Amino acid sequence: MIYQGESIRVDFIEPGFAELQFDAKGSVNKFDQATLEEFSEALTKLKNTDDLRGVIVTSSKSTFIVGADITEFLTLFSDQEKTRSWVAKASRVFDQLEDLPVPTVGAVTGFALGGGCEALLACDYRVADSTATIGLPEVKLGLIPGFGGTMRLPRVIGPDNALEWITTGKNNKALDALKVGAVDAVVEPENLTKAALNLAKDAAAGQQDWKAKRQPKLEPLKANDTELMMTLVTAKGMVAAKAGKHYPAPHKAIEAIENGAREHREGALTAENNAFFDLTQTEACQAQVGIFLADQAVKGKSKKYAKAATKEIKTAGVLGAGIMGGGIAYQSALKGVPAVMKDIKQDALDLGMKEAGKILKKGVERGKVNSEKMIKILSSITPTLLNDAVKDVDIVVEAVVENPKVKGSVLAEIEDVIGDDAILTSNTSTISITELAKNLKRPEKFCGMHFFNPVHKMPLVEIIRGEKTSDDTVNAVVAYALKLGKTPIVVNDCPGFLVNRVLFPYLAGFAGMVDEGVDFVGIDKVMEKQFGWPMGPAYLSDVVGIDTADHCTVVMEDGFPTRMKRDESSAIAKLAAAECYGQKNGKGFYVYGTDKKGKPTKEADPATYELLGCEQGKKLDADEVIARCMIPMVNEVVRCLEEDIVGSAAEADMALLYGLGFPPFRGGPFRYLETLGMDNFIQLADKYAHLGEIYQVTDGMREMAKAGKSYFDTTSAK
């Protein structure tokens, strides 16, 4: 044995040829700080090993290396001096691999991402098996490759391909990597080790010029000035268009490659180190790393629920067709759970099937679905007018009109049809699950299952636990949501649950400005372009439906009569009274139509300004617009955590990211609060406290700030 550590072992696989194998104790290999130390020690041992002729780098697991240990990042990055030292030292470990006095071959199976890809790039040759996926996804964390990726990849596959890989963070299948030269061969999994060893032997025997293969990675980038300039200009244009100003990582990646292009390895690595460090100190990086950690926590919690499930969902029923019901039935059928779609009207069933067919047709056009699969999915949806058609299903998702009396009647009727062991759920967005359960004989078998529209695109499903909902029911419904490819987040019952409960104070903050005469178009521009929402509050209201939003204000007032009191003179109420329902009937805050080419249009109508009593072009300072919209939302999500509506800050952040499109570079409402600083937020909220209860922070937040605590320290995905 040449070297034995906790995560790495090195031994001769044949006389003269050593295998450096990553073999961490967990389910995957990753570069935490301890593994990087071992990597350096192992490479030092190899350098000093007599009679060494070649080295292959392998994994004992079904995947190579998934990257760095991201759980260490936020703590590490909070110490600037430690971060600078770490990135400089860690990146030079990979130089040790590149500088071994013998040929090296990386043998990649499964995922080789981030640091895993960079370890491969430090090898002279790379062999992948057909399962391999290779990439540098660091931009998705607000970072760039930090172990030499921006220096080595352009010298291996050319600057144009490297810029595309790095700035998009995309993963690449083995054959695609082969096409651009990122790997030298692709073989079947059972042949991987043998192929890597044979390549090392050929190189050692002089049949391959491994020194010539290595040399370009040690030198300035071989590209003439004009070619390089054009490549960089093109990349900058694409990044500016796609990433915009809120995501600095892809911009910094280009900067690192540009600054290191005319440098030898050490200079290029220094350029990368500097850019990487700069990004670690940005709010976007803190937010995006936070999202990754929150997502892992939410997924881990969901898996625990699903693992505890005693009932498997094999068939589903959907009550209420139309666009929402059709979307739910489609998603269920798509993921292998046949669905019976029941309605009282044939035209609704036709609309539901049409919706499923429309989604599938787009998939066929894009090459994601073939005709055979389309037919199979559609045949897995059974439209029916008969209650008896759902009598044998394992779960029913009720998706009828958002009216408590109608829902209560439909749920009670279908409960008498389905089996005693079947689960009943309601796709309600605001109505109390506990109240709906009063209509049922088996309330323990009932919970909320709130999908977001469009169902096939929106990843979040809120699972709402009523007062009498059993753990077995929650576990089974979470498992079903996971089977549908969704991210389920379990919340406790209250009006609006989590997502809509925190949305309405945000919309109320917006409406307050409109009521003061401020132009809603200007508010939308600030919240979209400066804060980063995909839609401003006026546009979002139109998309949700003004009538739906207006109806929900009644539900929210019932639950929170002082904080969310309905205002008949507010913009939403006025538009609803005027039958301006938003996109669904072509007029709301905006007027919707099509241009001469048939493309959708959205314009502010002078009649809307007259109706609402606001003034076209009247603006507030952008910071005030953001404060007046966001303070109510943050306050409400804090209340939800304090009241145990949601289990953790991580779950709340992911719910708003996946359910509302909260700007990822801000990381979710709790990460946004932490970035602002709790003391600063409280000071800002107090400035607007006179505007009403939604602007008044909780006593709990004041205590947290006074104690210097973090919501991420005190709450976790339990």
Side-chain angles (χ1 to χ4, degrees):
M1 183 69 67
I2 297 172
Y3 178 83
Q4 179 67 62
E6 293 293 318
S7 300
I8 295 173
R9 66 174 191 83
V10 184
D11 202 357
F12 283 108
I13 192 169
E14 281 190 14
F17 294 90
E19 178 182 27
L20 186 155
Q21 186 171 81
F22 287 89
D23 185 20
K25 288 183 177 179
S27 58
V28 294
N29 297 314
K30 55 188 175 182
F31 280 121
D32 54 22
Q33 294 185 61
T35 300
L36 282 166
E37 289 286 346
E38 286 192 8
F39 195 28
S40 179
E41 292 169 4
L43 292 167
T44 299
K45 288 280 189 182
L46 276 168
K47 181 183 177 182
N48 297 320
T49 298
D50 294 333
D51 301 322
L52 187 67
R53 300 182 60 212
V55 175
I56 64 170
V57 182
T58 69
S59 166
S60 67
K61 303 181 186 301
S62 60
T63 201
F64 185 65
I65 302 169
V66 295
D69 185 354
I70 296 160
T71 62
E72 297 180 339
F73 279 8
L74 291 182
T75 303
L76 175 66
F77 295 165
S78 64
D79 185 327
Q80 291 190 18
E81 186 176 338
K82 188 176 180 181
T83 301
R84 279 192 186 278
S85 173
W86 173 80
V87 70
K89 182 180 177 182
S91 59
R92 269 64 181 184
V93 174
F94 292 75
D95 292 358
Q96 290 181 250
L97 173 57
E98 194 164 56
D99 291 340
L100 286 175
V102 295
T104 55
V105 182
V108 57
T109 184
F111 289 102
L113 303 177
C117 178
E118 288 169 293
L120 290 174
L121 291 171
C123 295
D124 300 319
Y125 300 93
R126 290 156 292 281
V127 179
D129 72 20
S130 54
T131 72
T133 297
I134 302 169
L136 294 168
E138 286 86 353
V139 292
K140 296 175 183 177
L141 295 172
L143 292 167
I144 63 172
F147 300 150
T150 67
M151 181 276 293
R152 291 187 177 94
L153 191 62
R155 288 155 174 80
V156 171
I157 67 173
D160 50 349
N161 289 322
L163 281 161
E164 182 185 354
W165 275 38
I166 294 170
T167 59
T168 63
K170 71 172 187 174
N171 292 342
N172 305 273
K173 295 296 184 183
L175 290 176
D176 293 324
L178 179 66
K179 288 175 185 176
V180 296
V183 298
D184 300 290
V186 176
V187 299
E188 290 307 309
E190 62 270 19
N191 298 325
L192 180 61
T193 302
K194 182 179 178 182
L197 182 58
N198 286 342
L199 185 51
K201 287 180 176 179
D202 287 348
Q207 296 175 24
Q208 298 279 347
D209 192 345
W210 61 273
K211 291 183 179 179
K213 192 88 160 48
R214 179 183 295 182
Q215 194 60 31
K217 294 186 290 175
L218 310 178
E219 298 176 347
L221 189 59
K222 285 181 168 47
N224 66 53
D225 290 343
T226 303
E227 177 189 357
L228 182 60
M229 181 189 71
M230 290 299 294
T231 297
L232 291 167
V233 167
T234 301
K236 288 175 183 177
M238 290 179 65
V239 165
K242 290 187 177 182
K245 65 181 181 180
H246 295 304
Y247 296 90
H251 300 279
K252 276 287 183 183
I254 298 172
E255 178 186 309
I257 291 171
E258 184 173 16
N259 289 344
R262 296 308 180 214
E263 300 285 342
H264 287 77
R265 184 179 70 184
E266 181 58 29
L269 273 178
T270 298
E272 178 182 280
N273 292 167
N274 291 337
F276 184 93
F277 171 79
D278 290 345
L279 287 168
T280 66
Q281 304 305 302
T282 63
E283 292 177 1
C285 172
Q286 301 286 321
Q288 288 174 268
V289 170
I291 289 172
F292 177 88
L293 297 175
D295 189 48
Q296 294 298 302
V298 167
K299 285 177 179 173
K301 188 170 183 179
S302 295
K303 287 177 182 176
K304 287 180 182 177
Y305 279 118
K307 191 175 181 180
T310 57
K311 179 178 179 61
E312 184 180 0
I313 306 299
K314 297 179 180 178
T315 55
V318 180
L319 303 182
I323 292 175
M324 177 60 82
I328 296 169
Y330 159 79
Q331 192 68 27
S332 192
L334 174 71
K335 297 298 182 178
V337 182
V340 177
M341 184 169 62
K342 192 266 173 189
D343 205 287
I344 58 173
K345 295 180 180 179
Q346 185 61 47
D347 58 350
L349 292 172
D350 294 341
L351 179 60
M353 293 303 294
K354 183 180 178 181
E355 178 68 12
K358 185 171 70 174
I359 298 166
L360 284 164
K361 187 178 178 182
K362 286 183 180 178
V364 172
E365 290 170 356
R366 294 172 181 170
K368 293 183 177 180
V369 180
N370 58 35
S371 298
E372 184 180 343
K373 186 174 181 181
M374 178 177 177
I375 294 168
K376 182 179 179 182
I377 292 169
L378 287 175
S379 65
S380 295
I381 304 173
T382 305
T384 183
L385 297 170
L386 305 174
N387 279 350
D388 278 355
V390 300
K391 66 184 177 66
D392 295 323
V393 300
D394 297 311
I395 190 169
V396 170
V397 182
E398 167 273 304
V400 302
V401 63
E402 187 76 355
N403 180 297
K405 289 184 179 178
V406 175
K407 283 184 179 289
S409 174
V410 169
L411 288 165
E413 181 182 359
I414 214 69
E415 186 186 34
D416 288 336
V417 176
I418 59 177
D420 290 348
D421 191 43
I423 291 171
L424 196 52
T425 72
S426 176
N427 176 47
T428 174
S429 56
T430 54
I431 301 169
S432 168
I433 295 301
T434 299
E435 288 300 310
L436 288 175
K438 290 178 180 178
N439 299 281
L440 303 175
K441 300 170 186 173
R442 300 186 295 277
E444 72 281 358
K445 291 284 185 182
F446 175 64
C447 71
M449 194 175 189
H450 178 207
F451 290 85
F452 292 76
N453 204 20
V455 174
H456 66 289
K457 288 185 178 179
M458 298 296 282
L460 178 68
V461 176
E462 279 183 300
I463 310 297
I464 304 102
R465 185 196 294 269
E467 282 182 9
K468 295 186 178 180
T469 305
S470 71
D471 288 344
D472 283 345
T473 295
V474 170
N475 294 340
V477 176
V478 168
Y480 175 54
L482 288 173
K483 192 178 282 190
L484 297 187
K486 300 301 181 182
T487 297
I489 292 180
V490 179
V491 298
N492 285 318
D493 189 28
C494 71
F497 319 129
L498 173 63
V499 174
N500 281 329
R501 176 174 162 180
V502 303
L503 173 62
F504 278 91
Y506 167 82
L507 293 178
F510 153 71
M513 290 183 280
V514 176
D515 294 345
E516 293 171 15
V518 179
D519 187 351
F520 57 87
V521 175
I523 297 172
D524 270 5
K525 285 181 179 177
V526 169
M527 297 311 292
E528 290 170 5
K529 296 184 184 301
Q530 292 187 239
F531 192 81
W533 283 103
M535 290 179 275
Y539 185 24
L540 176 64
S541 298
D542 279 355
V543 171
V544 168
I546 299 295
D547 54 337
T548 301
D550 185 52
H551 167 74
C552 289
T553 61
V554 177
V555 177
M556 302 309 288
E557 182 184 44
D558 287 344
F560 313 103
T562 59
R563 194 162 67 251
M564 299 191 199
K565 186 172 177 59
R566 177 178 165 79
D567 183 357
E568 293 286 352
S569 65
S570 74
I572 296 288
K574 284 180 179 177
L575 286 168
E579 297 184 353
C580 298
Y581 298 148
Q583 279 190 335
K584 65 178 65 176
N585 71 345
K587 54 184 180 178
F589 281 100
Y590 298 93
V591 175
Y592 300 87
T594 54
D595 62 17
K596 293 179 181 179
K597 296 182 179 179
K599 292 183 178 180
T601 60
K602 172 174 73 81
E603 297 177 355
D605 189 341
T608 307
Y609 289 103
E610 186 176 344
L611 174 67
L612 299 181
C614 58
E615 182 182 335
Q616 190 168 4
K618 183 177 180 180
K619 297 180 180 178
L620 291 176
D621 177 76
D623 288 341
E624 182 171 354
V625 170
I626 291 169
R628 290 185 63 174
C629 284
M630 293 309 303
I631 291 169
M633 175 176 274
V634 173
N635 278 339
E636 200 63 33
V637 80
V638 167
R639 288 188 181 95
C640 286
L641 185 62
E642 290 180 351
E643 294 169 18
D644 200 31
I645 300 303
V646 65
S648 68
E651 288 165 283
D653 277 358
M654 296 313 299
L656 267 66
L657 280 158
Y658 286 153
L660 291 180
F662 198 99
F665 68 91
R666 297 193 186 277
F670 278 105
R671 189 65 62 185
Y672 170 61
L673 173 60
E674 299 261 324
T675 300
L676 284 177
M678 221 176 298
D679 288 329
N680 293 333
F681 178 84
I682 291 169
Q683 186 178 357
L684 184 64
D686 286 347
K687 178 182 172 182
Y688 294 100
H690 64 282
L691 293 176
E693 194 177 339
I694 58 174
Y695 288 92
Q696 294 162 14
V697 302
T698 67
D699 291 340
M701 189 194 293
R702 293 186 191 277
E703 290 169 9
M704 288 278 289
K706 188 176 180 181
K709 293 181 179 178
S710 163
Y711 284 107
F712 292 99
D713 293 338
T714 58
T715 58
S716 60
K718 294 171 279 202

